Amino acid sequence: MSARFGVNYTPRTGWFHHWLDFDLDAVRADLDAIAVLGADHVRVFAVWPLFQPNRTLIRPAALRQLGSLVDAAAERGLDVSVDGLQGHLSSFDFVPSWVSTWHRQNLFTSDLVVKGQAAYLTAIATELAGRPNFLGMSLGNEFSQFAGRLHPSAAELTVAEAEHWLQTMLAACAAGAPRAEHHHSEYDAALFDPVHPFTPQLAARLGTRTTVHSWIFNGTAKRYGGLSEQSVRLAEYLLELGRGYASDPHREVWLQEVGAPAPHVSAADAPEFTRRTLDHVLDCTGLYGVTWWCSHDVSRDLADFPELEYGLGLIDQRGRVKPEGAVFAEFAGRPPVEPAPRTLGLVLDSGATSSDDLLAPRRDTCAPGGAFFEAWMELAMAGQRPAVVLAPFAGDELHLKARRIETLVTVERL
Amino acid sequence: MSARFGVNYTPRTGWFHHWLDFDLDAVRADLDAIAVLGADHVRVFAVWPLFQPNRTLIRPAALRQLGSLVDAAAERGLDVSVDGLQGHLSSFDFVPSWVSTWHRQNLFTSDLVVKGQAAYLTAIATELAGRPNFLGMSLGNEFSQFAGRLHPSAAELTVAEAEHWLQTMLAACAAGAPRAEHHHSEYDAALFDPVHPFTPQLAARLGTRTTVHSWIFNGTAKRYGGLSEQSVRLAEYLLELGRGYASDPHREVWLQEVGAPAPHVSAADAPEFTRRTLDHVLDCTGLYGVTWWCSHDVSRDLADFPELEYGLGLIDQRGRVKPEGAVFAEFAGRPPVEPAPRTLGLVLDSGATSSDDLLAPRRDTCAPGGAFFEAWMELAMAGQRPAVVLAPFAGDELHLKARRIETLVTVERL
């Protein structure tokens, strides 16, 4: 398998507000710049309240514009994956008025809301299904944050309800585009917060592949340093963690987001961070691809972004490729090399009682500073190339064999 | 003075989401229908997050579209008043992502938010200032609801802060259009809730005129019946209440919203409600005008509106004038008649300790069922044509003389 290289498309002019002033020529210019990087795909983002301002109004013009964006990408040899429920982007939440304040409902369990979301995802998938460069949908960028306990308007949710919502949304995508590949994405709390209703097993077992979003501002950079081994291996670690939670030993992982955030990584260090991160990531087996965050820096004309969000682009505001963009392009242009299997499995006991158990009540062991995190990093830094084996699979010979795992080690015995 | 007649413009296709699919021909057709009613003006509504999706991005295209709407109105002899901060419309709140959830700030006291709001209002006013049919701005439709204690994300606010915010926003409108007339609008809680930081005095003393929004679903219809004298006199009452709270005896009042909401008023009764309401309203002195809510019924294709919001139009979804529309047109077409002064003043003691006091800690006496409300209605139904005199003005001979008040009566002495 040859890993795909792509970028998360952040429109140079207007950021995602560009949907309000959609300009296909500006999109084409952005995509031209992305193609120059050697990317083979982009991940693009609808803005939910603009596409579906009323529950029963999914704007045909918005769907047409999205379609024209996908077509413009095709003209440049770029495939496209589309996130529907934004939802959340770079600290900003976009939630339609029909589920806010006076109309507030649980975004995951309200029957009307779920029907509305499903209709919306089906509409997008239907619009794009016939386009050969359409890869499929992601439900929404880290939508599960709306069920995170730190969210200002967190929804109450059980794991069973989270699973049901994911199944329903994935089915809605498939209803519109049955042959495309549909995914969902999680954020750190789902992987590390013991009580988050979206569990790592849901992340690793629903949808076509397991997606990984790797951000060193999750505590890794603060604890270990922005250019520490822990930071430049965070994406590798999360990919292996995703592999470990899967029940299918052959399930692929997709590094759907990774970036070099200031001030944890200075502008001068961003190329090195990018190079070392990608080196490690390409040493993971089962890697579907890498989608860098992001294509274009955010304009300083736009206010109120967290400082780090302005400078994440591989391309600057004037359209010039940044040094980290050159590193990305170098990797994207390399001939593919299949890494050797990882034969050492570090056993993860995050509390699941069986291979079917979807709970991970001790998943905080995986967070930066947690015992499992530290043990895995220790092995990795010692050159051991550790994989992750979830405890219920540690006695499953077929599973281990399929993954080419030969040796198991537990955190306690390190 | 001849009262102006106008309507609140609710676009027939797409409701206020029409800004996302702005179609000037559709707007023209709507305005043609409104002109047929004999209206001389419309009140129109921007949608805040669409016009200002980022604090420092006030979309030029949105301003241009608004300008083209105002021009289209001019071609049909219609003047236009524009509300900026929506904010709130028919149960739906539209709040930009830069002041929501992770970015939540106090909508009235945050320095950044206030600067953003001011820039936005100035931008609209500047865009429209040169157009001869531009009447001026209203800050936002009942924006003070965001400081009401029942609001799901109510802001903490003092009366002094409310006053400061209003002054700042009115100044922002004036900065863009110095010669236009700018207003603000309140909802029932500001008039009736003893702790609401927007007080009736603020309503009656800031801005060019006092605006009144009269909705019998505020408890009046439930308590007295939809066609009761209390209901068909509610607008008249609120206008006189507005006059009473003013310190300027000549300050005009504008009935900026009034409508016939089902099921409190059935479709069959709507013409009678309209006729009786307008008869009473036109018996008020100092009336600037009546702006009916609303021009067009809301399409049943749009979901989740409160039931009563669908049928408030004077024009139905097919573009036909409804019977209540015909009543409106009849009134709009009548030659003006100046009502005789109201010489009987009912003294209102809602707790203000002086004529400069902006507080009304006992304003619940004015609510439906309250002692003052009932006393005023009793006089009105007895044919006494009561005005309202705020207690601190009851001994102010000049004030009373200017208003032509000859006799005072107190609630206790009735």
Side-chain angles (χ1 to χ4, degrees), chain A residues 20-21 56 59 91 103 301, chain B residues 21 56 59 91 93 103 301:
Chain A
L20 286 164
D21 295 291
T56 51
R59 294 176 49 242
S91 86
H103 289 268
D301 290 343
Chain B
D21 295 291
T56 51
R59 295 176 50 243
S91 86
D93 284 346
H103 289 268
D301 290 343

Side-chain angles (χ1 to χ4, degrees), chain A residues 46-384:
Chain A
V47 174
W48 186 19
L50 302 185
F51 277 63
Q52 189 178 27
N54 179 276
R55 181 164 57 82
T56 51
L57 174 60
I58 300 163
R59 294 176 49 242
L63 297 175
R64 282 196 303 272
Q65 290 168 344
L66 178 60
S68 70
L69 187 158
V70 173
D71 290 341
E75 293 162 8
R76 285 146 187 87
L78 295 165
D79 293 337
V80 181
S81 180
V82 177
D83 277 54
L85 292 163
Q86 279 67 240
H88 181 81
L89 288 164
S90 302
S91 86
F92 293 102
D93 285 346
F94 298 92
V95 183
S97 63
W98 53 275
V99 290
S100 302
T101 65
W102 301 109
H103 289 268
R104 187 175 164 197
Q105 296 174 76
N106 187 305
L107 292 179
F108 302 93
T109 60
S110 156
D111 187 52
L112 280 185
V113 173
V114 169
K115 281 183 179 157
Q117 292 167 328
Y120 167 61
L121 293 175
T122 299
I124 292 178
T126 301
E127 173 74 24
L128 303 179
R131 289 172 161 89
N133 68 322
F134 173 55
L135 295 171
M137 305 283 301
S138 281
L139 305 185
N141 181 45
E142 303 179 3
F143 196 81
S144 55
Q145 65 135 315
F146 291 103
R149 54 182 163 170
L150 293 181
H151 194 272
S153 60
E156 294 275 334
L157 205 66
T158 68
V159 175
E161 287 168 340
E163 182 186 18
H164 182 70
W165 183 82
L166 286 167
Q167 301 271 28
T168 305
M169 293 302 118
L170 288 165
C173 295
R179 287 183 298 276
E181 297 178 328
H182 306 300
H183 300 86
H184 66 102
S185 70
E186 304 308 332
Y187 71 131
D188 277 340
L191 298 178
F192 302 148
D193 179 350
V195 301
H196 199 291
F198 285 78
T199 66
Q201 288 94 326
L202 293 177
R205 301 179 192 183
L206 297 179
T208 300
R209 299 178 186 85
T210 305
T211 65
V212 165
H213 293 190
S214 178
W215 289 106
I216 62 168
F217 52 66
N218 68 354
T220 305
K222 187 175 175 187
R223 181 178 287 264
Y224 305 102
L227 281 183
S228 64
E229 277 291 298
Q230 287 87 347
S231 284
V232 300
R233 286 183 182 274
L234 179 65
E236 174 196 5
Y237 167 69
L238 294 172
L239 289 166
E240 292 300 330
L241 201 57
R243 293 266 288 168
Y245 273 109
S247 48
D248 171 3
H250 302 293
R251 182 175 165 99
E252 292 180 345
V253 283
W254 174 11
L255 182 56
Q256 199 178 40
E257 289 184 16
V258 62
H264 309 294
V265 177
S266 70
D269 289 337
E272 180 186 344
F273 177 88
T274 305
R275 180 179 304 280
R276 290 171 64 190
T277 292
L278 289 175
D279 268 333
H280 290 308
V281 161
L282 292 175
D283 194 33
C284 295
T285 53
L287 178 68
Y288 165 73
V290 176
T291 312
W292 199 265
W293 189 285
C294 55
S295 67
H296 292 77
D297 281 349
V298 175
S299 170
R300 292 279 171 184
D301 290 343
L302 298 174
D304 302 332
F305 285 78
E307 181 58 29
L308 69 88
E309 298 284 352
Y310 286 101
L312 291 169
L314 297 176
I315 303 162
D316 72 13
Q317 261 291 303
R318 296 198 196 170
R320 297 172 303 201
V321 174
K322 292 160 67 180
E324 53 268 46
V327 173
F328 174 92
E330 178 194 325
F331 275 83
R334 282 188 194 168
V337 177
E338 181 65 24
R342 295 192 172 218
T343 57
L344 176 67
L346 181 63
V347 177
L348 167 59
D349 180 7
S350 55
T353 57
S354 73
S355 58
D356 294 332
D357 189 358
L358 296 179
L359 305 183
R362 292 195 294 277
R363 71 188 104 156
D364 50 337
T365 191
C366 299
F372 184 84
F373 179 99
E374 299 240 321
W376 188 94
M377 286 291 175
E378 191 177 317
L379 288 170
M381 290 187 278
Q384 298 290 303

Side-chain angles (χ1 to χ4, degrees), chain A residues 9 23-34 68 72 75-76:
Chain A
Y9 172 40
D23 177 348
L24 190 55
D25 286 335
V27 168
R28 288 185 179 122
D30 289 349
L31 296 173
D32 281 341
I34 290 169
S68 70
E75 293 162 8
R76 285 146 187 87

